[in-house]
């Protein structure tokens, strides 16, 4: 570890190299801090699928051991405890482990993503939030629901830092993975994430086929609930019109975004929704649910906000985009402009650096 007076950033995350949203945000955050000229030490709770990381980032993993993670962070207080140190906890459940660092002078920032803070928090998590120098969230919607559930913390100052992803480096190459016209949904299929809208789309798809019999739904992703959804699709007679890809590579996913007519994820449990940005980056219109998606999707301009609890409303949104391909294309182009202007990784990095007050660290210099 570096001497206590050297500018340092310690990033605590459930996982760094995973394909989940928090892993992606953690990588974008680390890249932004490295671009600021700061070395970043990443402590990951979960076993990493691979350990290769960009220059300027050191990755350590607890290999799924909470005890090892707590011990590692506690031991870090000896090397990182200093006013010149920033600790960024990318999940509130990990933030309490940073309290020994805070007691030795480090400044703690905590990032709120959504569902993990939409329930009553534990004592240690509350202590960490009250001890933090900065609390950040991905959307106003996340802040609102956080305050509604934890009313004693609703006056806690929270900086909203909308997420961002990197633009594509060039045109997406490769053959189509699915022929014909199709809509795309991307997301994990697990019990705790049934809110993403897979069931609602399957239940509505027979009505879609009544008007557009050749239009398909592609479901990308995997998880323990995939067999249940496949059985449901079969019971509805959708074997030929709903296609489950399973886990796909990043390259294959980009081809699916490229070739779909539009993206749909009527999720009621997102704090932000990075997949909407991925679709907008690919110039695709989006259908999302009221809530966080409404801060990303401009209803009627870059897509449609439709309540999945009102089946006629969601069905109407689906049919409108299928029936009006020119309008759908125009929405996709408007979505791309909105992505470039508001949701790039560079823009997120600048917002993050400002919230963390990195200019106060001695010896740092902002990247040009």
């Amino acid at each position: 570890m570096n001497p206590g007076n050297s500018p340092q950033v310690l990033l605590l995350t459930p996982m760094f190299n995973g394909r989940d949203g928090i892993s992606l945000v953690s990588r974008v955050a680390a890249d932004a801090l490295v671009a600021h000229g700061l070395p970043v030490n990443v402590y990951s709770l979960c076993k990493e699928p691979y350990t290769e990381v960009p220059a300027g980032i050191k990755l350590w993993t607890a290999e799924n051991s909470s005890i090892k993670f707590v011990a590692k962070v506690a031991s870090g207080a000896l090397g990182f405890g200093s006013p010149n140190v920033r600790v960024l906890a990318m999940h509130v459940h990990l933030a309490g482990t940073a309290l020994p660092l805070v007691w030795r002078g480090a400044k703690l920032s905590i990032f709120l993503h959504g569902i993990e803070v939409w329930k009553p928090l534990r004592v240690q998590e509350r202590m960490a939030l009250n001890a933090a120098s900065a609390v950040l969230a991905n959307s106003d919607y996340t802040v609102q629901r956080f305050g509604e559930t934890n009313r004693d913390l609703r006056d806690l100052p929270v900086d909203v830092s909308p997420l961002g992803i990197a633009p594509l480096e060039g045109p997406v190459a490769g053959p189509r993975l699915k022929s014909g016209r199709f809509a795309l949904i991307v997301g994990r299929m697990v019990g705790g994430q049934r809110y993403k809208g897979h069931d609602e789309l399957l239940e509505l798809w027979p009505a879609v086929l009544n008007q557009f019999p050749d239009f398909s739904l592609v479901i990308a992703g995997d998880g323990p609930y995939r067999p249940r959804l496949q059985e449901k699709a079969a019971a509805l007679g959708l074997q030929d019109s709903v296609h489950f890809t399973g886990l796909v590579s990043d390259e294959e996913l980009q081809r699916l975004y490229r070739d779909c007519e539009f993206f749909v994820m009527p999720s009621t449990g997102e704090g932000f929704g990075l997949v909407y940005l991925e679709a907008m980056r690919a110039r695709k219109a989006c259908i999302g649910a009221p809530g966080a998606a409404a801060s990303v999707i401009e209803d009627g301009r870059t897509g449609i906000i439709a309540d999945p609890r009102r089946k006629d409303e969601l069905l109407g949104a689906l049919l409108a985009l299928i029936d009006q391909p020119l309008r759908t294309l125009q929405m996709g182009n408007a979505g791309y402009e909105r992505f470039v202007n508001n949701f790039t990784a560079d823009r997120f990095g600048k917002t993050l650096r400002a919230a963390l007050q990195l200019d106060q660290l001695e010896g740092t210099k902002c990247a040009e």
Side-chain angles (χ1 to χ4, degrees):
M1 294 182 185
N2 294 318
N5 290 329
S6 300
Q8 291 288 317
V9 174
L10 177 58
L11 190 149
L12 312 180
T13 182
M15 182 179 285
F16 190 70
N17 281 319
R19 302 191 67 180
D20 59 291
I22 294 181
S23 291
L24 177 56
V25 177
S26 296
R27 293 194 297 271
V28 173
D31 288 342
L33 300 174
V34 169
H36 193 77
L38 290 166
V40 178
N41 296 271
V42 177
Y43 289 178
S44 169
L45 172 62
C46 299
K47 185 175 181 179
E48 294 289 334
Y50 56 94
T51 56
E52 183 179 351
V53 295
I57 298 173
K58 294 182 179 179
L59 174 63
W60 175 88
T61 173
E63 299 286 334
N64 303 325
S65 170
S66 298
I67 295 175
K68 286 177 62 176
F69 189 88
V70 170
K72 181 71 171 179
V73 178
S75 67
L78 299 176
F80 288 112
S82 154
N84 248 16
V85 170
R86 297 290 188 269
V87 182
L88 176 57
M90 296 304 294
H91 198 292
V92 70
H93 294 170
L94 303 179
T97 65
L99 288 172
L101 295 160
V102 175
W103 296 332
R104 286 186 53 83
K107 291 187 176 182
L108 169 66
S109 298
I110 304 171
F111 205 101
L112 311 182
H113 297 274
I115 195 168
E116 82 282 3
V117 294
W118 297 346
K119 53 190 174 183
L121 298 179
R122 297 172 296 186
V123 172
Q124 189 180 47
E125 294 158 358
R126 293 171 179 272
M127 289 177 59
L129 285 165
N130 284 313
S133 300
V135 179
L136 303 92
N138 52 16
S139 68
D140 289 317
Y141 183 70
T142 291
V143 178
Q144 173 193 330
R145 291 198 57 179
F146 163 66
E148 290 172 351
T149 308
N150 298 276
R151 298 184 65 84
D152 58 317
L153 295 172
R154 61 184 173 179
D155 293 328
L156 190 73
V158 181
D159 294 309
V160 175
S161 299
L163 305 181
I165 58 176
L168 295 176
E169 296 181 356
V172 176
R176 292 177 64 99
L177 298 174
K178 172 70 178 70
S179 60
R181 301 176 68 197
F182 66 92
L184 174 68
I185 179 173
V186 178
R188 297 179 65 210
M189 288 163 265
V190 298
Q193 296 184 4
R194 291 184 66 172
Y195 54 77
K196 287 188 177 292
H198 294 94
D199 284 280
E200 289 80 358
L201 289 174
L202 290 178
E203 291 162 10
L204 287 175
W205 215 253
V208 171
L209 295 177
N210 283 339
Q211 297 194 40
F212 300 96
D214 296 326
F215 201 91
S216 300
L217 174 66
V218 172
I219 300 177
D222 206 352
Y225 267 55
R226 191 177 94 174
R228 182 190 69 79
L229 291 170
Q230 289 176 308
E231 291 174 4
K232 184 171 187 174
L236 291 167
L238 300 174
Q239 301 96 319
D240 297 329
S241 56
V242 175
H243 304 270
F244 292 82
T245 69
L247 191 64
V248 295
S249 67
D250 290 340
E251 180 189 57
E252 291 170 328
L253 183 58
Q254 294 311 317
R255 282 190 268 163
L256 289 172
Y257 278 122
R258 178 197 66 189
D259 297 331
C260 71
E261 295 264 328
F262 58 87
F263 179 80
V264 53
M265 190 178 75
S267 172
T268 58
E270 302 299 312
F272 185 84
L274 281 168
V275 285
Y276 302 124
L277 300 190
E278 293 176 346
M280 291 160 64
R281 181 177 62 182
R283 297 181 181 269
K284 300 302 176 180
C286 298
I287 296 177
S295 66
V296 182
I297 303 166
E298 287 187 283
D299 186 32
R301 182 173 180 270
T302 70
I304 300 176
I305 298 297
D307 192 338
R309 294 167 297 186
R310 300 176 178 176
K311 292 190 175 182
D312 288 346
E313 187 174 313
L314 179 56
L315 177 60
L318 292 165
L319 296 177
L321 293 192
I322 298 171
D323 189 43
Q324 303 174 54
L326 179 57
R327 179 190 179 210
T328 301
L329 179 63
Q330 292 170 340
M331 284 183 168
N333 288 331
Y336 177 76
E337 292 178 4
R338 180 162 170 76
F339 160 69
V340 170
N341 292 329
N342 298 278
F343 298 115
T344 62
D346 182 63
R347 188 177 183 90
F348 171 65
K350 289 178 180 177
T351 304
L352 179 66
R353 291 194 294 262
L356 296 182
Q357 302 176 351
L358 294 181
D359 289 336
Q360 296 180 10
L361 287 179
E362 296 177 8
T364 64
K365 181 181 179 181
C366 292
E368 296 296 329

